[in-house]
Amino acid sequence: MTAGNRDVRTWLTERVATYLRRSPQDIDTSVPLADYGLDSLTALAITADIEDEFEVTVDDALTWDHPTVDALSAALSGLLGGQPEAAGTSEKQV
């Protein structure tokens, strides 16, 4: 996936909604994910999905350090910014 192909926030919202068994429209991107019942296993799964989708390495605590979809998407967009493709040629750590 390239950063330009799809909005990072939209992708994250859809992933979070899938794990929480909700519609993406039901996810308020400014609400802490813990308020939706996100647990540590789900947070790690989302982190793994980020690594797989964008072919980057991120810290396991990324989801906890950025507890809303808005904050998480901003951090991920910052990581991916400036790369012609989200995959890039090197791995980075957030």
Side-chain angles (χ1 to χ4, degrees), residues 13-63:
T13 302
E14 290 171 357
R15 294 306 308 146
V16 167
T18 298
Y19 281 109
L20 297 177
R21 296 184 177 139
R22 295 176 181 246
S23 167
Q25 294 79 13
D26 293 338
I27 304 298
D28 181 339
T29 59
S30 66
V31 171
L33 297 173
D35 289 359
Y36 286 111
L38 182 84
D39 61 20
S40 59
L41 292 176
T42 307
L44 287 173
I46 291 169
T47 300
D49 289 346
I50 289 168
E51 290 182 336
D52 291 345
E53 185 68 26
F54 298 101
E55 298 180 7
V56 295
T57 300
V58 295
D59 188 280
D60 289 340
L62 180 70
T63 306

